[in-house]
Amino acid sequence: MADAKLQIIPLGGLGEFGMNCLALRYKDDILVIDAGLMFPETELLGVDIVVPDISYLVENRELVRGIVLTHGHEDHIGGLPWILSELNVPVYATEFTLAYVEGKLDEHKMLDDTELIEILPGVKFTLGPFTVEPIRVTHSLVDCVALAIDTPVGVVVHTGDFKIDFSPPDGKAIDLHKFAEYGKRGILALLQDSTNVDRPGYTPGEWSVRPRLDEIFSRTKRKLFFSCFSSSIYRIRIALELAQQHGRKVAILGRSMVESSEIAQDLGYIDVPQGLIIHPGQINDHAPENVMVLISGTQGEPMSALSRASVDNHKHARIQPGDTVLLSSRVIPGNEKSIGRVIDHLCRRDAQVIYDDGSHGLIHVSGHASQEEQRLMINLLRPKFFIPVHGDYRNLKKHAELAKNTGVVKEAIVIEDGDVLELDGESAVRSGKVTAGRICIDSGSTADVVQDIVIRDRRHLSEDGFVLPILTINKLTGLVERQPELVTRGFVSGETGLMEAAREVVIKTLENSTAEEKADYGVIKEKIRIDLKRYIQKNTSRRPLIMPVILEI
């Protein structure tokens, strides 16, 4: 098949932030890059997480050779339990990423059934017709890689999430030399992170937050509560170093923070001096000026350690007047209200709250490349085709325009979830769509998939409430034993006597029904529902959910 083409098929992450998942297909082999989740928007009532629809992969399960992960953030690995419950394929990732994956799979009781394979930057491995070389990149998490994938029609580079940092705290800088080597060889296509395409210039390195954080440590007179993303290993390392420098003992609170710091210590990313860490129960054994509490909950998650401490409902974290709370993180869009609520509570406790509002100096830096870094990567690789990934449509569009303006790419192509892009050595053509979309999951369980109709019903209930007409029918005679009762929740009648009149509607419906209709509970329920719906809608312009209930006696 000399005319066989490489297909690039995004299943998530192109058209939204999160849920990153992309398939590469050549003939009868599919390689999957990342398996992320997305946290739900407010209109997805009661949904815990959102994962990509992998119907395409399930339909072609015998062709899937493996899932390769770029790094360990939830928007790249969080969908693994769901995907692996449908596809039992090997997972390839770096050491630190695998540590996160193991914890996640163990939680879902899937660890023993999954083949996990460690990969190393610079060490190639083969999956079917694909030869993959991980290339070290810097990000806000450690042990992150881009992927250079040698295919029969050319080399495809997927950057994963990256920024260009030449001096990260762990000393493992981005390998620009390797990208330059691939650029000299010739790149067919570049898939590049679009997250920060709106930001001009360069993203500051991780060390750039240290001077301002050092100043905060120096000025803080009482306890310091230091909160950052639990996956921000670099930030945790800097906080621990500053605590040691300023003579503060460190208590770590929050499950995710404890797990991340333990993994980072085990793998050598954090070196903790003997005696620095204390048990949370020992916080009160030390003077307030000698304590730092490393605490999770920067996004105002309701049950996080910081949220509970802010309302004085944490066993160990008692925030006193004069304590300082430092939020060394960005606000994830959609979390503004919950974060604002936590900050309000902290202020009520007379704590000094320092967060990234632009007035406190540099206390947080992004992990994503800004425009100049994106241009630099494009100029190094000089790809024939440029495909922006990771972001809303407007981000992808702007990123494509940025790539075109560099003058080094033949064509910049914006595709979205489900699009099939076919490439040979000379052309890139859209060739239809596959099934793609979002799967809503309740309770973090891989089994509890929430269908669209359930979301619709929840929205219906949240807006209009429900009405339960309750009828008591004698099983032997078929007669209605007492007056129908109407129970409402979330439905407010607009006028006095409306519910009394609604009860009369139910009685009239029963009077106008034959004995056979009354004996068939399905029929009589539907008649009552239709008549009551018509009456309520006519008199209130509202449409509550109406669910007749029949009690037999």
Side-chain angles (χ1 to χ4, degrees):
M1 288 179 69
D3 60 345
K5 295 183 178 181
L6 176 73
Q7 293 183 329
I8 295 176
I9 308 165
L11 299 173
L14 275 73
E16 65 270 311
F17 281 107
M19 211 171 72
N20 297 296
C21 185
L22 183 136
L24 289 184
R25 178 171 181 170
Y26 182 77
K27 295 185 184 177
D28 291 334
D29 294 278
I30 296 174
L31 179 155
V32 180
I33 300 172
D34 289 331
L37 58 73
M38 184 171 72
F39 292 105
E41 298 101 339
T42 49
E43 59 264 26
L44 293 177
L45 301 164
V47 171
D48 292 316
I49 62 169
V50 184
V51 296
D53 185 335
I54 57 161
S55 301
Y56 173 75
L57 298 179
V58 173
E59 289 160 11
N60 297 280
R61 66 172 74 240
E62 70 283 356
L63 311 182
V64 180
R65 302 293 164 242
I67 300 170
V68 186
L69 305 174
T70 57
H71 66 286
H73 276 142
E74 286 289 300
D75 57 334
H76 293 260
I77 70 168
L80 265 178
W82 158 255
I83 291 174
L84 291 173
S85 70
E86 300 284 326
L87 300 169
N88 192 3
V89 296
V91 176
Y92 297 78
T94 57
E95 182 184 39
F96 190 89
T97 305
L98 281 183
Y100 271 4
V101 168
E102 284 172 3
K104 187 169 290 296
L105 295 181
D106 191 36
E107 192 179 317
H108 287 84
K109 298 180 173 53
M110 299 173 71
L111 185 55
D112 294 340
D113 302 323
T114 307
E115 185 182 4
L116 301 177
I117 300 165
E118 186 182 333
I119 61 178
L120 293 166
V123 179
K124 296 180 181 180
F125 61 96
T126 302
L127 285 172
F130 307 108
T131 300
V132 184
E133 180 173 6
I135 304 173
R136 186 175 300 287
V137 294
T138 42
H139 182 43
S140 54
L141 187 58
V142 298
D143 219 5
C144 306
V145 291
L147 303 172
I149 304 160
D150 207 337
T151 79
V153 300
V155 177
V156 174
V157 173
H158 190 299
T159 65
D161 286 356
F162 82 102
K163 69 176 180 181
I164 296 176
D165 190 345
F166 294 116
S167 59
D170 62 358
K172 297 176 180 178
I174 185 169
D175 190 354
L176 284 186
H177 294 294
K178 183 64 73 175
F179 285 108
E181 283 175 25
Y182 273 100
K184 286 177 188 171
R185 178 179 159 187
I187 296 295
L188 176 65
L190 170 61
L191 289 79
Q192 183 169 269
D193 173 21
S194 306
T195 306
N196 275 359
V197 72
D198 287 329
R199 296 192 185 185
Y202 295 87
T203 302
E206 286 296 321
W207 280 123
S208 58
V209 300
R210 185 177 171 125
R212 178 62 183 126
L213 296 184
D214 191 12
E215 186 187 334
I216 292 167
F217 270 80
S218 300
R219 289 185 176 181
T220 299
K221 303 301 181 192
R222 290 181 53 83
K223 286 197 297 292
L224 174 60
F225 289 82
F226 190 107
S227 190
C228 63
F229 294 119
S230 59
S231 61
S232 296
I233 305 304
Y234 294 138
R235 200 70 46 79
I236 292 172
R237 174 176 169 159
I238 290 170
L240 292 173
E241 287 177 359
L242 288 170
Q244 168 79 359
Q245 183 184 316
H246 290 272
R248 289 178 180 267
K249 298 291 185 183
V250 179
I252 303 176
L253 296 180
R255 192 182 75 160
S256 60
M257 190 66 81
V258 170
E259 288 175 357
S260 281
S261 54
E262 284 178 353
I263 291 169
Q265 286 180 69
D266 291 344
L267 299 182
Y269 286 94
I270 294 175
D271 182 23
V272 180
Q274 189 75 28
L276 180 67
I277 305 289
I278 60 172
H279 186 274
Q282 297 175 289
I283 291 174
N284 293 330
D285 297 344
H286 299 268
E289 63 272 17
N290 295 333
V291 175
M292 182 191 87
V293 180
L294 192 59
I295 189 167
S296 61
T298 61
Q299 300 304 301
E301 303 92 333
M303 291 309 292
S304 67
L306 185 60
S307 286
R308 286 183 287 138
S310 73
V311 291
D312 203 20
N313 189 28
H314 194 283
K315 186 177 178 182
H316 301 298
R318 303 301 296 273
I319 297 173
Q320 310 282 354
D323 288 347
T324 297
V325 181
L326 170 62
L327 304 180
S328 181
S329 63
R330 72 183 179 95
V331 176
I332 294 176
N335 293 343
E336 294 88 352
K337 283 187 177 178
S338 54
I339 296 170
R341 197 159 48 240
V342 168
I343 291 172
D344 274 1
H345 288 310
L346 292 169
C347 290
R348 285 192 180 96
R349 314 219 79 72
D350 282 336
Q352 183 191 1
V353 188
I354 301 172
Y355 56 100
D356 193 12
D357 62 352
S359 65
H360 293 291
L362 200 60
I363 60 171
H364 174 70
V365 291
S366 173
H368 299 270
S370 296
Q371 289 175 3
E372 291 307 316
E373 294 154 278
Q374 293 170 341
R375 285 193 186 97
L376 176 56
M377 188 66 80
I378 294 166
N379 282 306
L380 270 180
L381 289 167
R382 306 180 72 82
K384 194 171 285 185
F385 301 108
F386 178 83
I387 300 125
V389 295
H390 304 174
D392 293 329
Y393 189 84
R394 63 180 181 275
N395 298 80
L396 306 181
K397 183 89 167 135
K398 187 167 184 177
H399 202 178
E401 287 165 4
L402 179 144
K404 283 178 199 167
N405 292 337
T406 61
V408 301
V409 303
K410 176 182 173 183
E411 192 178 351
I413 306 155
V414 178
I415 56 174
E416 292 185 271
D417 297 344
D419 287 343
V420 178
L421 185 69
E422 289 194 341
L423 297 93
D424 56 23
E426 298 302 321
S427 65
V429 179
R430 285 187 189 82
S431 64
K433 289 184 82 73
V434 303
T435 301
R438 303 176 180 189
I439 303 294
C440 299
I441 296 177
D442 265 355
S443 309
S445 163
T446 52
D448 294 340
V449 177
V450 185
Q451 304 297 335
D452 287 347
I453 191 167
V454 177
I455 302 292
R456 190 193 68 199
D457 284 348
R458 287 177 181 175
R459 192 171 296 134
H460 189 168
L461 284 166
S462 72
E463 290 169 357
D464 290 324
F466 67 83
V467 176
L468 259 63
I470 301 173
L471 299 142
T472 307
I473 292 182
N474 188 307
K475 192 175 182 180
L476 298 175
T477 63
L479 297 173
V480 177
E481 289 290 324
R482 60 171 69 99
Q483 288 281 314
E485 183 184 351
L486 264 64
V487 175
T488 68
R489 291 291 183 273
F491 172 72
V492 182
S493 56
E495 57 186 84
T496 310
L498 177 77
M499 297 317 292
E500 193 55 49
R503 186 181 286 107
E504 292 299 324
V505 170
V506 175
I507 293 169
K508 195 170 288 184
T509 302
L510 289 168
E511 288 173 353
N512 294 336
S513 299
T514 64
E516 288 85 355
E517 285 175 328
K518 288 179 190 174
D520 188 328
Y521 292 166
V523 170
I524 198 65
K525 278 183 181 180
E526 188 61 13
K527 285 188 73 175
I528 289 168
R529 193 188 68 78
I530 290 169
D531 289 351
L532 204 50
K533 176 185 172 185
R534 189 181 296 123
Y535 173 78
I536 291 174
Q537 199 169 341
K538 181 180 176 184
N539 286 275
T540 68
S541 299
R542 301 191 74 82
R543 299 177 60 194
L545 200 63
I546 298 170
M547 298 171 63
V549 175
I550 293 179
L551 302 177
E552 286 185 329
I553 59 168

